[in-house]
PDB file of all heavy atoms in Angstrom:
ATOM      1  N   ASN A  39     -17.393 -24.555 -18.923  1.00 94.00           N
ATOM      2  CA  ASN A  39     -17.253 -23.126 -18.928  1.00 94.00           C
ATOM      3  C   ASN A  39     -18.547 -22.309 -18.908  1.00 94.00           C
ATOM      4  O   ASN A  39     -19.454 -22.634 -19.831  1.00 94.00           O
ATOM      5  CB  ASN A  39     -16.361 -22.707 -20.071  1.00 94.00           C
ATOM      6  CG  ASN A  39     -15.699 -21.380 -19.844  1.00 94.00           C
ATOM      7  OD1 ASN A  39     -15.663 -20.839 -18.822  1.00 94.00           O
ATOM      8  ND2 ASN A  39     -15.058 -20.875 -20.980  1.00 94.00           N
ATOM      9  N   GLY A  40     -18.738 -21.400 -18.062  1.00 95.00           N
ATOM     10  CA  GLY A  40     -19.967 -20.607 -18.082  1.00 95.00           C
ATOM     11  C   GLY A  40     -21.164 -21.289 -17.318  1.00 95.00           C
ATOM     12  O   GLY A  40     -22.313 -20.782 -17.303  1.00 95.00           O
ATOM     13  N   GLY A  42     -21.536 -21.646 -14.056  1.00 97.00           N
ATOM     14  CA  GLY A  42     -21.954 -20.914 -12.900  1.00 97.00           C
ATOM     15  C   GLY A  42     -21.177 -21.304 -11.734  1.00 97.00           C
ATOM     16  O   GLY A  42     -21.494 -20.978 -10.568  1.00 97.00           O
ATOM     17  N   LYS A  43     -20.091 -21.885 -11.914  1.00 97.00           N
ATOM     18  CA  LYS A  43     -19.195 -22.414 -10.754  1.00 97.00           C
ATOM     19  C   LYS A  43     -18.505 -21.323 -10.102  1.00 97.00           C
ATOM     20  O   LYS A  43     -18.745 -21.252  -8.858  1.00 97.00           O
ATOM     21  CB  LYS A  43     -18.053 -23.366 -11.322  1.00 97.00           C
ATOM     22  CG  LYS A  43     -18.551 -24.538 -12.105  1.00 97.00           C
ATOM     23  CD  LYS A  43     -17.494 -25.449 -12.643  1.00 97.00           C
ATOM     24  CE  LYS A  43     -16.464 -24.797 -13.523  1.00 97.00           C
ATOM     25  NZ  LYS A  43     -16.957 -24.370 -14.816  1.00 97.00           N
ATOM     26  N   SER A  44     -17.912 -20.380 -10.708  1.00 97.00           N
ATOM     27  CA  SER A  44     -17.222 -19.302 -10.143  1.00 97.00           C
ATOM     28  C   SER A  44     -18.286 -18.376  -9.328  1.00 97.00           C
ATOM     29  O   SER A  44     -18.168 -17.907  -8.232  1.00 97.00           O
ATOM     30  CB  SER A  44     -16.482 -18.375 -11.039  1.00 97.00           C
ATOM     31  OG  SER A  44     -15.580 -19.096 -11.730  1.00 97.00           O
ATOM     32  N   THR A  45     -19.513 -18.209 -10.054  1.00 98.00           N
ATOM     33  CA  THR A  45     -20.631 -17.427  -9.360  1.00 98.00           C
ATOM     34  C   THR A  45     -21.020 -18.072  -8.088  1.00 98.00           C
ATOM     35  O   THR A  45     -21.287 -17.442  -7.127  1.00 98.00           O
ATOM     36  CB  THR A  45     -21.787 -17.427 -10.404  1.00 98.00           C
ATOM     37  OG1 THR A  45     -21.418 -16.943 -11.644  1.00 98.00           O
ATOM     38  CG2 THR A  45     -22.890 -16.560  -9.851  1.00 98.00           C
ATOM     39  N   GLU A  86     -10.339 -18.095  -9.375  1.00 97.00           N
ATOM     40  CA  GLU A  86     -10.041 -18.388 -10.732  1.00 97.00           C
ATOM     41  C   GLU A  86      -8.938 -17.421 -11.287  1.00 97.00           C
ATOM     42  O   GLU A  86      -9.101 -16.215 -11.064  1.00 97.00           O
ATOM     43  CB  GLU A  86     -11.245 -18.332 -11.575  1.00 97.00           C
ATOM     44  CG  GLU A  86     -11.110 -18.789 -13.010  1.00 97.00           C
ATOM     45  CD  GLU A  86     -12.515 -18.741 -13.813  1.00 97.00           C
ATOM     46  OE1 GLU A  86     -13.491 -18.850 -13.163  1.00 97.00           O
ATOM     47  OE2 GLU A  86     -12.509 -18.472 -14.977  1.00 97.00           O
ATOM     48  N   ASP A 162     -10.930 -22.396  -6.949  1.00 97.00           N
ATOM     49  CA  ASP A 162     -11.665 -22.215  -8.258  1.00 97.00           C
ATOM     50  C   ASP A 162     -10.746 -22.539  -9.500  1.00 97.00           C
ATOM     51  O   ASP A 162      -9.855 -21.819  -9.817  1.00 97.00           O
ATOM     52  CB  ASP A 162     -12.148 -20.780  -8.471  1.00 97.00           C
ATOM     53  CG  ASP A 162     -13.140 -20.648  -9.571  1.00 97.00           C
ATOM     54  OD1 ASP A 162     -13.211 -21.558 -10.432  1.00 97.00           O
ATOM     55  OD2 ASP A 162     -13.871 -19.534  -9.668  1.00 97.00           O
ATOM     56  N   GLU A 163     -10.955 -23.751 -10.023  1.00 96.00           N
ATOM     57  CA  GLU A 163     -10.123 -24.256 -11.182  1.00 96.00           C
ATOM     58  C   GLU A 163      -8.612 -24.083 -10.918  1.00 96.00           C
ATOM     59  O   GLU A 163      -7.917 -23.432 -11.801  1.00 96.00           O
ATOM     60  CB  GLU A 163     -10.515 -23.646 -12.531  1.00 96.00           C
ATOM     61  CG  GLU A 163     -12.056 -23.800 -12.703  1.00 96.00           C
ATOM     62  CD  GLU A 163     -12.434 -23.691 -14.195  1.00 96.00           C
ATOM     63  OE1 GLU A 163     -11.569 -24.166 -15.133  1.00 96.00           O
ATOM     64  OE2 GLU A 163     -13.504 -23.234 -14.468  1.00 96.00           O
ATOM     65  N   MET A 166      -6.198 -24.772 -13.981  1.00 94.00           N
ATOM     66  CA  MET A 166      -6.390 -24.209 -15.281  1.00 94.00           C
ATOM     67  C   MET A 166      -5.033 -23.719 -15.817  1.00 94.00           C
ATOM     68  O   MET A 166      -4.223 -23.051 -15.090  1.00 94.00           O
ATOM     69  CB  MET A 166      -7.242 -22.943 -15.112  1.00 94.00           C
ATOM     70  CG  MET A 166      -7.739 -22.234 -16.394  1.00 94.00           C
ATOM     71  SD  MET A 166      -8.226 -20.691 -16.027  1.00 94.00           S
ATOM     72  CE  MET A 166      -9.955 -20.888 -15.683  1.00 94.00           C
ATOM     73  N   VAL A 194     -13.716 -26.542  -7.154  1.00 97.00           N
ATOM     74  CA  VAL A 194     -14.408 -26.295  -8.503  1.00 97.00           C
ATOM     75  C   VAL A 194     -13.425 -26.506  -9.730  1.00 97.00           C
ATOM     76  O   VAL A 194     -12.330 -26.236  -9.553  1.00 97.00           O
ATOM     77  CB  VAL A 194     -14.892 -24.801  -8.607  1.00 97.00           C
ATOM     78  CG1 VAL A 194     -15.193 -24.471  -9.967  1.00 97.00           C
ATOM     79  CG2 VAL A 194     -15.984 -24.554  -7.601  1.00 97.00           C
ATOM     80  N   GLN A 196     -13.027 -27.821 -14.069  1.00 92.00           N
ATOM     81  CA  GLN A 196     -13.416 -28.375 -15.378  1.00 92.00           C
ATOM     82  C   GLN A 196     -12.667 -29.607 -15.543  1.00 92.00           C
ATOM     83  O   GLN A 196     -13.128 -30.514 -16.351  1.00 92.00           O
ATOM     84  CB  GLN A 196     -13.052 -27.388 -16.541  1.00 92.00           C
ATOM     85  CG  GLN A 196     -13.995 -26.157 -16.602  1.00 92.00           C
ATOM     86  CD  GLN A 196     -13.808 -25.421 -17.905  1.00 92.00           C
ATOM     87  OE1 GLN A 196     -14.012 -26.029 -18.857  1.00 92.00           O
ATOM     88  NE2 GLN A 196     -13.490 -24.179 -17.690  1.00 92.00           N
TER      89      GLN A 196
HETATM   90 MG1   MG C   2     -15.209 -19.954 -13.458  1.00 90.47          MG
END
Side-chain angles (χ1 to χ4, degrees):
Chain A
N39 199 14
K43 305 181 298 296
S44 299
T45 306
E86 185 176 330
D162 197 344
E163 303 207 33
M166 191 199 274
V194 162
Q196 282 193 63

